[in-house]
Amino acid sequence: MNDDVRNIVLGVIATALSGGFGWFTRTYQWRRALRRKQVFFGLPTGSDCLFVVNRQMGGTDSSLHRNDAFALLEISALIKDCGANVQIVTHDAARQGFGERAEFCVGGPVSNTRTTAHLASMLPGVRVDVSTEPGPDRGSINVGGETYRWEKGQVEYVLLARLTTGQGSRPVFLLSGQTANSNQAAARYLARHHRQLARKYGGESFCVLLKVINSDAYGPDVTELVADVTREARTPAAAVA
């Protein structure tokens, strides 16, 4: 074998080794990222999860608001990425215990009775004004002694929480907003920031308050983190102070 042929063969071997190593590295990183996502969402491959939908606020039937349907689509993409299956049920038909399957519960207590149950059992420090009469406090969220009021078309708030009851239990993700638009904003925030949330909280419960700005102009796109209210939300309101 002359020098030219040897150099060509060595070049081919080096290229193959480099390509194989690159493929292995990319595959390993992809699988590791997938495992982290599955652990955070409680969605191993082939598992089942529950998506609890609310009814349209102010509606007389079980109709689903368009923005809540969009929230479902945002979260369905995450579920599909994890290789899991989703069962969609209405809030008044969900009869599952806590932690048996991963759950995504969308809507505030005005439109979702399961949210009411989750708030009472897991986030007793949160108070939501569920009055139906017009007024400045309608739909307001009170947590940690602060009141967050909805200003139609300008400011909307939503609680995004990951709740677990202990080791081995599947998490419940609660998206409890003042409007359907804020519910979708929380779903979009979860889809975009789940890696950062997983790095910060790991497998622990958390509750953050998000603010949706100028929804008349921007819809659910402009959302900012107001505060981590985990401690305040998990402390019964009577015990605060």
Side-chain angles (χ1 to χ4, degrees):
M1 181 183 294
N2 60 39
D3 291 343
D4 289 340
V5 173
R6 183 172 63 251
N7 289 337
I8 292 173
V9 171
L10 291 175
V12 170
I13 293 173
T15 300
L17 290 174
S18 176
F21 180 75
W23 174 85
F24 175 81
T25 300
R26 289 191 298 272
T27 301
Y28 173 77
Q29 291 174 339
W30 175 80
R31 287 180 176 173
R32 184 172 65 172
L34 175 61
R35 284 195 299 269
R36 287 176 176 174
K37 181 187 290 189
Q38 290 175 324
V39 169
F40 178 71
F41 287 112
L43 295 172
T45 301
S47 62
D48 295 319
C49 71
L50 204 64
F51 190 100
V52 182
V53 296
N54 58 344
R55 63 176 173 81
Q56 182 168 322
M57 189 169 67
T60 56
D61 54 21
S62 58
S63 60
L64 185 65
H65 193 282
R66 181 181 63 177
N67 289 94
D68 288 324
F70 289 153
L72 169 59
L73 293 176
E74 300 265 7
I75 293 173
S76 293
L78 295 174
I79 298 170
K80 182 179 180 181
D81 286 346
C82 292
N85 307 305
V86 60
Q87 177 187 357
I88 302 173
V89 297
T90 57
H91 68 104
D92 52 356
R95 296 292 184 270
Q96 170 184 294
F98 197 101
E100 295 176 11
R101 289 184 289 175
E103 176 183 334
F104 297 86
C105 186
V106 175
V110 172
S111 61
N112 190 324
T113 56
R114 193 161 174 86
T115 294
T116 303
H118 289 330
L119 290 176
S121 61
M122 298 296 291
L123 299 174
V126 175
R127 291 290 181 269
V128 178
D129 189 306
V130 296
S131 60
T132 56
E133 296 299 322
D137 287 330
R138 183 186 180 191
S140 63
I141 298 172
N142 186 287
V143 59
E146 297 289 335
T147 299
Y148 301 91
R149 294 180 175 85
W150 167 38
E151 300 175 25
K152 186 176 181 180
Q154 297 300 313
V155 176
E156 302 166 16
Y157 293 96
V158 55
L159 290 170
L160 171 61
R162 181 186 190 273
L163 308 173
T164 62
T165 55
Q167 187 70 27
S169 69
R170 299 287 173 84
V172 169
F173 286 87
L174 183 64
L175 294 76
S176 177
Q178 294 172 324
T179 64
N181 180 76
S182 60
N183 294 335
Q184 185 188 355
R188 185 164 295 180
Y189 186 93
L190 181 62
R192 290 177 176 175
H193 298 280
H194 64 84
R195 293 180 184 86
Q196 297 94 312
L197 292 170
R199 281 196 295 269
K200 182 173 182 179
Y201 299 105
E204 300 299 318
S205 296
F206 68 81
C207 181
V208 296
L209 182 71
L210 306 175
K211 180 180 181 181
V212 186
I213 302 170
N214 199 354
S215 60
D216 270 355
Y218 306 125
D221 286 339
V222 182
T223 304
E224 64 181 32
L225 175 65
V226 176
D228 180 331
V229 295
T230 305
R231 181 181 61 82
E232 296 87 344
R234 300 188 71 181
T235 304
V240 175

